[in-house]
């Protein structure tokens, strides 16, 4: 932009100099030439009057008597009736300026001047005009550079302010530049920054409040589940020494207690995972740049999700299985990864059909978990928009996949729809660097 401002200013100055400079040169050249012709004619008229006055006074008109009246740079030819012409000065070459005056008595005086003097004066005038034009160009360059800096620097500053807003730094800068239009833009950016700051503060406060409100019931639920597990353990291992009840009743109670204990442990694992997600949301609401990604065993998370969802699939007459490579370690937040897989498995349970398969594999420096089912797949009209909020094809809220994608991206991964029919969702996570085996 600076270069454009400088070039445009110089173009305007050069056009003005060209128009007025050429006109001035033409006018000055004509003025100098007319002045030279007028000077020669004036000298001729003056010499005629001198010659006429000498003749009236009956004085002789000779070259010696007229030499003092003739300028040294002029050539004069005096023609008298009945006498040979008198010439004074050096005869000029071709193209000389000539002036002639004649009296009624027959006296004619012709004055000539070499045009070199005129050319020299025209050249000096042209040099002066060129020097003034050069000074004007230099002044225009300095002024253009100053104006370009004055205009471009605020625009660069405003661009940096807009970039800061886009990067999540909504602090207003309160800078003004003395240019009404730029100051107006700065006012709008500062006002937008203040609004964005208020919105971010409100959203973080809402996330913090919601996380805090959820932690209390989750903690209470976790304690109740732990009590259920403890009660089931007490039933499974009764105290010895009392009058015994019937063996069948004791065996039935132990079987029921074992089932209750297993369900309570599954529910406790779910509560712990939700507590971890809530804690992560609370941490991000305080500092969105903080991260909790660690290296973890991907098999444990996949196995946990299969065990957690197997009863629901068994009840629906369907199966959930896994395949692919095992022993993989990924980098991320285990609770968030589990939540993403839970969302995909639940989505397949609600909208898919047939068996659901979780397949793990390696893709370059990433590990991939694919979730697929045998259902009708994703509506072609939705396509990749299935991850957008409020977009759903089956009368759901449309938030599950959007939240799952955000959780994946927060861990440096990504969630993609690789295939629509049958549906194949893939979670990409960074692969933990291989560690050397530990010694015995």
């Amino acid at each position: 932009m600076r270069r454009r401002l400088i070039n445009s200013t110089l173009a305007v100055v050069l056009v003005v100099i060209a128009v007025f400079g050429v006109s001035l040169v033409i006018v000055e050249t004509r003025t100098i030439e007319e002045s030279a012709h007028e000077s020669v004619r004036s000298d001729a008229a003056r010499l005629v009057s001198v010659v006429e006055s000498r003749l009236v006074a009956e004085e002789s008109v000779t070259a010696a008597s007229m030499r003092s009246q003739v300028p040294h740079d002029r050539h004069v030819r005096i023609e008298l009736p009945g006498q040979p012409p008198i010439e004074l000065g050096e005869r000029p070459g071709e193209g000389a300026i000539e002036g002639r005056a004649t009296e009624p008595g027959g006296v004619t005086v012709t004055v000539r001047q070499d045009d070199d003097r005129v050319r020299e004066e025209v050249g000096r005038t042209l040099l002066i005009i060129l020097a003034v034009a050069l000074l004007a160009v230099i002044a225009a360059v300095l002024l253009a550079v100053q104006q370009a800096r004055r205009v471009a620097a605020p625009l660069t500053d405003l661009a940096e302010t807009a970039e800061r807003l886009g990067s999540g730094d909504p602090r207003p800068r309160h800078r003004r530049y003395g240019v009404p239009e730029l100051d107006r833009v700065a006012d709008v950016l500062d006002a937008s920054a203040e609004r964005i700051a208020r919105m971010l503060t409100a959203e973080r406060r809402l996330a913090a409040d919601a996380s805090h409100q959820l932690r209390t019931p989750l903690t209470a639920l976790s304690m109740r589940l732990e009590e259920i597990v403890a009660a089931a353990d007490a039933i499974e291992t009764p105290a010895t020494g009392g009058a015994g009840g019937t063996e069948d009743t004791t065996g039935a109670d132990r079987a029921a207690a074992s089932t209750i204990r297993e369900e309570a442990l599954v529910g406790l694992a779910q509560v712990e995972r939700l507590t971890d997600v809530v804690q992560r949301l609370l941490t991000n609401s305080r500092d969105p740049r903080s991260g909790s990604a660690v290296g973890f065993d991907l098999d444990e998370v996949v196995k946990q999700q299969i065990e957690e969802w197997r009863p629901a699939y068994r009840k629906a007459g369907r199966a959930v299985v896994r395949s692919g490579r095992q022993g993989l370690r990924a980098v991320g937040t285990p609770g968030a990864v589990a939540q993403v897989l839970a969302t995909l498995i639940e989505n397949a349970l609600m909208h898919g059909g047939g068996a659901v398969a979780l397949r793990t594999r390696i893709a370059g420096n990433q590990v991939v978990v694919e979730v697929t089912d045998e259902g009708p797949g994703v509506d072609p009209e939705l396509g990749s928009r299935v991850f957008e909020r409020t977009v759903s094809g089956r009368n759901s809220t449309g938030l599950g996949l959007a939240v799952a994608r955000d959780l994946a991206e927060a861990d440096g991964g990504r969630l993609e729809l690789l295939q629509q029919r049958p549906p194949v969702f893939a979670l990409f996570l960074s692969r933990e660097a291989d560690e050397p085996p530990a010694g015995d």
Side-chain angles (χ1 to χ4, degrees):
M1 181 177 180
R2 293 184 180 181
R3 182 178 298 176
R4 291 183 179 179
L5 289 174
I6 294 174
N7 291 340
S8 61
T9 303
L10 285 180
V12 172
V13 172
L14 291 176
V15 169
V16 172
I17 290 176
V19 173
F20 288 95
V22 172
S23 301
L24 184 60
V25 168
I26 295 174
V27 171
E28 286 296 323
T29 301
R30 290 182 178 179
T31 302
I32 292 172
E33 291 177 353
E34 290 294 333
S35 177
H37 283 89
E38 183 64 26
S39 176
V40 170
R41 288 193 293 268
S42 177
D43 286 344
R46 179 178 59 81
L47 291 176
V48 164
S49 68
V50 170
V51 171
E52 186 67 24
S53 63
R54 283 181 175 275
L55 292 176
V56 170
E58 296 181 354
E59 296 178 359
S60 62
V61 178
T62 61
S65 63
M66 295 297 297
R67 192 175 301 279
S68 61
Q69 302 292 331
V70 177
H72 67 281
D73 59 341
R74 308 286 172 89
H75 173 264
V76 177
R77 177 185 176 87
I78 303 174
E79 299 177 4
L80 299 173
Q83 296 183 15
I86 301 173
E87 293 191 9
L88 301 171
E90 185 178 356
R91 183 183 293 273
E94 296 292 333
I97 300 173
E98 181 178 298
R100 178 175 296 180
T102 303
E103 286 293 330
V107 178
T108 301
V109 176
T110 303
V111 179
R112 293 186 179 89
Q113 180 183 2
D114 199 341
D115 59 352
D116 291 342
R117 298 288 302 274
V118 176
R119 288 196 296 269
E120 290 178 1
E121 191 170 354
V122 171
R124 286 195 300 269
T125 303
L126 182 60
L127 288 177
I128 293 174
I129 294 175
L130 290 177
V132 173
L134 181 60
L135 292 177
V137 171
I138 295 174
V141 169
L142 296 177
L143 182 60
V145 171
Q146 182 181 1
Q147 289 297 110
R149 186 182 295 111
R150 184 183 178 188
V151 174
L155 291 177
T156 303
D157 193 26
L158 291 174
E160 293 177 356
T161 301
E163 184 178 0
R164 287 174 60 249
L165 287 177
S167 62
D169 185 2
R171 293 174 297 174
R173 307 185 72 174
H174 301 294
R175 292 186 181 179
R176 299 299 178 266
Y177 312 100
V179 180
E181 292 78 6
L182 297 179
D183 290 344
R184 172 60 179 164
V185 176
D187 291 336
V188 173
L189 286 178
D190 286 345
S192 300
E194 292 176 355
R195 286 195 299 270
I196 292 174
R198 288 195 298 268
M199 293 171 58
L200 290 177
T201 301
E203 290 183 0
R204 291 172 184 172
R205 185 181 295 113
L206 176 61
D209 293 343
S211 301
H212 182 74
Q213 295 293 334
L214 287 173
R215 281 195 305 171
T216 300
L218 287 176
T219 302
L221 180 59
S222 177
M223 294 175 62
R224 294 295 298 273
L225 291 174
E226 290 175 355
E227 291 178 359
I228 293 174
V229 172
D233 289 341
I235 294 175
E236 284 185 305
T237 56
T240 60
T246 63
E247 188 66 26
D248 292 339
T249 303
T250 302
D253 290 342
R254 289 179 179 178
S258 177
T259 303
I260 293 173
R261 182 177 181 275
E262 291 180 1
E263 293 297 331
L265 288 176
V266 172
L268 187 59
Q270 292 178 345
V271 171
E272 289 177 354
R273 188 183 75 245
L274 290 177
T275 303
D276 180 65
V277 173
V278 169
Q279 181 63 35
R280 189 164 177 263
L281 290 175
L282 179 60
T283 302
N284 290 341
S285 68
R286 292 172 180 170
D287 186 3
R289 294 171 294 181
S290 63
S292 56
V294 295
F296 66 95
D297 188 351
L298 186 60
D299 291 342
E300 293 183 1
V301 177
V302 174
K303 180 180 178 181
Q304 172 197 1
Q305 290 302 309
I306 291 178
E307 292 178 353
E308 181 177 320
W309 286 96
R310 181 172 286 129
Y313 272 83
R314 185 183 300 116
K315 184 177 180 180
R318 299 169 59 186
V320 53
V321 298
R322 74 158 297 180
S323 62
R325 188 165 179 174
Q326 299 186 10
L328 300 179
R329 293 187 61 84
V331 177
T333 307
V337 174
Q339 187 67 27
V340 173
L341 294 180
T343 301
L344 296 177
I345 296 173
E346 181 183 14
N347 187 71
L349 177 62
M350 296 178 58
H351 308 300
V356 173
L358 278 73
R359 176 173 174 263
T360 53
R361 60 183 176 89
I362 294 177
N365 60 346
Q366 293 182 317
V367 293
V368 186
V369 183
E370 295 181 352
V371 180
T372 181
D373 63 76
E374 300 172 352
V378 180
D379 191 342
E381 295 182 357
L382 294 180
S384 60
R385 294 180 62 243
V386 73
F387 293 106
E388 296 180 8
R389 294 179 183 268
T390 70
V391 174
S392 175
R394 300 293 179 86
N395 298 323
S396 61
T397 61
L399 291 175
L401 291 177
V403 173
R405 181 190 59 182
D406 293 341
L407 289 174
E409 292 178 352
D411 276 344
R414 69 182 190 276
L415 181 60
E416 295 183 359
L417 175 62
L418 299 184
Q419 182 175 306
Q420 295 184 6
R421 292 186 178 180
V424 178
F425 289 90
L427 172 62
F428 293 82
L429 297 171
S430 297
R431 184 184 178 188
E432 187 180 35
D434 295 333
E435 297 182 358
D440 294 334

